[in-house]
Amino acid sequence: MHHKTISRLICIGLLGLMAACASKPEPDRLVLLGDAQAAGDMAEQVAQARALLADPAIRGDVRADLGDILADAGQTEAALVAYRQVLTEASAATPPDYAYQIDLRARMAEIALAAGDKPRATEELSAAIRQVRIHLGADHPRLAPLLAFAIENDLDNARIAEITGLNVDDALAESVERGRERAFAAASSRTRALGAEPDFDLVRVFFGTNRAPTIKRVAMVDSKPVFDPYKYYGGKHAPLATGSVMVSVPRNRAVGDIPKPSIFSFDRRPDPAKHVILGDMQVDATMAEFLANVRISLARSQRREIFIFIHGYNNDFPTAVERTAQLAVDLEIDGAPVLYSWPSAGSVFGYKADRAQITQATIDDLEHFLHVLTEQTGAERVNIVAHSMGNEFLVRALQEMADDERAVPAPFDQVVFASPDVDADDFIEMMDRVHGLAKDMTLYASAKDRALQASSRFNKSGRRAGDASEPILLAGLNTVDTTPGATGGLDLGHSDIFGAAFPDFQAITWLSLEPEQRCILGKREGKTGTAWIFGTPRADYCDAEDFATAMTTVRRLGPDKALTELQSRALSGVGDAARWQAALRIVESLKD
């Protein structure tokens, strides 16, 4: 599946569209297509895809996804026509989105090659390489994978050189060498030149995945394989594999943002101070190699902590890596950030196909991976968060861990269920067996989560666990209702912990604070327990920004030094004295 640029940022939005369409008397082709994908009915998929492509309102990534369906069915020309329409639309955009155009051309080369049309694949790939060289620069991380694709598939290198002005073999070797050294060289040179810390963070994201590779032949440079993190893994199931990806994440951005070069009109070349850049990827030969690398990362840290992220529906592999890296930076993880990536199709039509991946084999893979991380790495603290559909994998894996006699007592410090797209009754039943696996378990839910509201209708089931309209209140589970903190507008309310409620999430991850200690939360008593309400602080000095300042200061300095620092700043009158005073009162309240 080609690398998404815009639709992945609003991936759950399709569910809202599905819900709206479901109220119409005529057949909802989007739902019918999803049903056909889940059932593996290729003829019905093609019929629905062709019908949708006839609608001029279908544009962008949705049209490209439909083209992929036709390509998988062997209807190459129709698929390329769909992609050409998307490329024409993208080429007319202002400002130009060159990264997106390059990805479209690369996918067209893949489709042509799969049909045995090497000359056409060569032309499309050459156009993509030329655009990288002209618009993004020879140092862009997209260049090496495109050149490797040409070598892997024996395309016409002479023709590529004629169009691009690059010798494929030489350019690949140079690009790989720069790619492997780029992040480290950029950090050291920037530090030496400015005498200051670089304005980006380098994150090594470790991963476990049961996605199948899509690349049959991997290019080699200096006897080392060149893996493309954007292309290597697809949406099919395979045995569990592990590895890591180096990611550059800018510091000068809003919390939760994942900025890309294509978004900015004048920033067409990747700058690690401004854009997220996926770099060198390694795939481990054995689990022992993975463990050795994680242990090295922990040994180099002070906190020796592991942070595990499990993504939700419609996440391809690079999107999941980017989100894990962003969370690792915003949470200042000191140890090893780890992604578990299950084989989501990465398609806006694939909701049912994604849900069909919740199999015993996938759950067993995740359970095994969690055992390895909690029992064999030597980590002093392991936190885990799952988002959306990823919660179903997590809760079922936790059930198996709870029933497994080899599991260590309470292997996790914090377990967080973020906007879980899980049937509420099933969630309640499963939670009865797993609460002893962590020091604390937290559920983030919202009554304004439009994605989960659509999911309830799409699944023809009752409420979802992440819907706070009727909050789940259980012993051993802290339920945080983020509804009052919702920003409104286009926000689907499905990712509150990555946005408005992030300071509360930080307090859990960093300091293991109980709800009573987090003055940012209000309190509402129910018949079966207490719901904690984000956006209704219990103290007038405890707004989200002040709370975030207090938590960050304690995280970095420790409680005692944080008090001293905040007292000094509050008395100095320099800067925002009111902010420092409020943060001081918040930290003081932790001592009570």
Side-chain angles (χ1 to χ4, degrees):
M1 192 65 64
H2 71 282
H3 180 49
K4 303 295 189 294
T5 56
I6 301 300
S7 68
R8 287 199 313 239
L9 301 179
I10 54 171
C11 58
I12 301 299
L14 179 69
L15 291 176
L17 176 60
M18 289 178 174
C21 293
S23 63
K24 299 179 181 179
E26 65 268 18
D28 179 355
R29 295 195 182 278
L30 293 172
V31 173
L32 293 175
L33 179 55
D35 290 343
Q37 276 200 334
D41 187 341
M42 183 57 72
E44 181 64 14
Q45 289 181 57
V46 169
Q48 296 300 335
R50 283 187 169 276
L52 286 164
L53 283 170
D55 183 352
I58 300 295
R59 305 176 69 185
D61 280 335
V62 177
R63 183 169 288 272
D65 280 349
L66 294 169
D68 285 332
I69 291 172
L70 298 181
D72 291 343
Q75 299 189 16
T76 305
E77 198 57 42
L80 290 174
V81 166
Y83 264 88
R84 181 65 60 182
Q85 291 172 330
V86 179
L87 180 59
T88 299
E89 175 188 326
S91 300
T94 302
D97 189 342
Y98 293 115
Y100 186 38
Q101 293 178 44
I102 290 161
D103 284 342
L104 291 171
R105 290 187 182 277
R107 177 58 183 146
M108 292 169 72
E110 292 175 351
I111 292 172
L113 183 66
D117 190 345
K118 281 193 174 184
R120 187 162 187 176
T122 297
E123 295 297 313
E124 295 295 351
L125 188 71
S126 297
I129 293 172
R130 187 171 185 272
Q131 280 194 302
V132 171
R133 186 177 67 82
I134 293 174
H135 299 296
L136 303 181
D139 287 332
H140 196 282
R142 285 296 287 124
L143 184 60
L146 296 176
L147 295 168
F149 181 84
I151 293 176
E152 292 162 4
N153 296 286
D154 298 317
L155 298 187
D156 187 344
N157 288 352
R159 177 58 177 160
I160 294 173
E162 178 184 346
I163 295 173
T164 66
L166 296 173
N167 177 283
V168 174
D169 291 310
D170 292 344
L172 176 59
E174 293 172 3
S175 182
V176 168
E177 183 178 358
R178 285 194 300 267
R180 286 173 177 165
E181 298 178 355
R182 178 188 303 115
F184 300 100
S188 61
S189 64
R190 190 180 298 266
T191 301
R192 286 196 303 268
L194 301 179
E197 287 293 315
D199 44 9
F200 60 91
D201 289 284
L202 297 175
V203 183
R204 186 179 188 184
V205 174
F206 295 94
F207 66 81
T209 183
N210 44 23
R211 292 176 180 267
T214 60
I215 306 300
K216 296 180 180 179
R217 176 183 167 193
V218 177
M220 305 292 289
V221 173
D222 296 332
S223 301
K224 296 181 180 179
V226 180
F227 297 105
D228 180 0
Y230 292 102
K231 296 286 185 181
Y232 187 70
Y233 287 115
K236 303 296 184 181
H237 185 273
L240 181 68
T242 60
S244 63
V245 182
M246 287 298 301
V247 187
S248 174
V249 182
R251 294 177 180 173
N252 186 23
R253 61 184 172 80
V255 168
D257 279 359
I258 307 177
K260 305 291 185 62
S262 59
I263 296 174
F264 302 89
S265 57
F266 301 108
D267 297 331
R268 296 170 187 168
R269 296 175 187 270
D271 180 347
K274 298 179 181 179
H275 311 304
V276 172
I277 302 172
L278 269 61
D280 186 44
M281 183 171 90
Q282 299 179 25
V283 177
D284 300 322
T286 63
M287 183 62 77
E289 183 178 346
F290 171 79
L291 273 169
N293 290 329
V294 172
R295 287 170 182 157
I296 290 171
S297 185
L298 292 175
R300 291 173 176 170
S301 69
Q302 292 184 335
R303 299 181 189 275
R304 299 182 59 85
E305 61 189 1
I306 289 178
F307 172 80
I308 307 169
F309 176 64
I310 304 174
H311 63 78
Y313 148 75
N314 188 23
N315 270 224
D316 60 14
F317 181 75
T319 300
V321 172
E322 290 168 351
R323 175 59 76 186
T324 308
Q326 170 261 306
L327 287 170
V329 171
D330 290 344
L331 290 170
E332 301 181 4
I333 298 302
D334 182 25
V338 181
L339 164 69
Y340 180 77
S341 184
W342 53 275
S344 166
S347 167
V348 291
F349 307 114
Y351 183 83
K352 284 193 173 181
D354 278 7
R355 185 157 288 283
Q357 293 291 344
I358 306 172
T359 63
Q360 190 61 50
T362 308
I363 301 307
D364 289 345
D365 284 343
L366 177 55
E367 182 206 8
H368 173 64
F369 191 57
L370 296 180
H371 273 299
V372 168
L373 291 170
T374 56
E375 297 169 14
Q376 300 183 44
T377 59
E380 294 181 5
R381 179 183 176 93
V382 181
N383 294 325
I384 185 167
V385 57
H387 182 235
S388 190
M389 195 183 290
N391 283 277
E392 187 119 12
F393 295 90
L394 175 58
V395 178
R396 293 184 184 279
L398 291 178
Q399 272 192 307
E400 296 204 352
M401 289 187 75
D403 295 339
D404 194 333
E405 294 181 356
R406 62 179 173 156
V408 298
F412 302 100
D413 190 90
Q414 301 292 320
V415 174
V416 176
F417 308 101
S419 308
D421 186 5
V422 183
D423 180 85
D425 291 336
D426 290 345
F427 185 86
I428 292 169
E429 181 180 350
M430 289 186 285
M431 283 298 298
D432 183 55
R433 293 158 54 190
V434 306
H435 58 80
L437 292 177
K439 178 179 179 181
D440 274 315
M441 293 190 172
T442 303
L443 166 66
Y444 283 95
S446 173
K448 293 183 179 179
D449 190 329
R450 288 181 282 166
L452 292 186
Q453 292 166 6
S455 174
S456 295
R457 298 178 63 179
F458 192 69
N459 284 286
K460 297 180 181 179
S461 65
R463 63 190 175 113
R464 313 305 286 171
D467 184 354
S469 299
E470 186 181 345
I472 291 176
L473 303 177
L474 301 173
L477 179 70
N478 298 321
T479 297
V480 179
D481 182 352
T482 63
T483 308
T487 57
L490 296 176
D491 184 14
L492 292 170
H494 195 57
S495 301
D496 286 343
I497 72 160
F498 305 142
F502 194 74
D504 190 65
F505 181 40
Q506 287 176 316
I508 293 173
T509 306
W510 287 347
L511 307 175
S512 301
L513 295 185
E514 297 293 339
E516 286 283 7
Q517 297 174 289
R518 291 157 18 218
C519 60
I520 198 172
L521 300 178
K523 193 174 182 180
R524 183 176 63 229
E525 298 293 345
K527 293 181 179 179
T528 59
T530 301
W532 299 93
I533 316 300
F534 178 82
T536 59
R538 298 194 306 280
D540 57 6
Y541 54 82
C542 193
D543 67 17
E545 291 186 356
D546 296 337
F547 188 77
T549 299
M551 295 303 101
T552 302
T553 307
V554 173
R555 164 72 170 186
R556 294 176 180 176
L557 301 180
D560 294 333
K561 289 185 178 179
L563 279 172
T564 302
E565 176 68 17
L566 291 172
Q567 286 168 349
S568 175
R569 289 179 177 268
L571 293 172
S572 69
V574 177
D576 190 348
R579 168 73 56 79
W580 300 119
Q581 183 64 43
L584 174 61
R585 295 181 68 182
I586 292 169
V587 175
E588 288 174 337
S589 71
L590 300 180
K591 297 282 190 176
D592 297 341

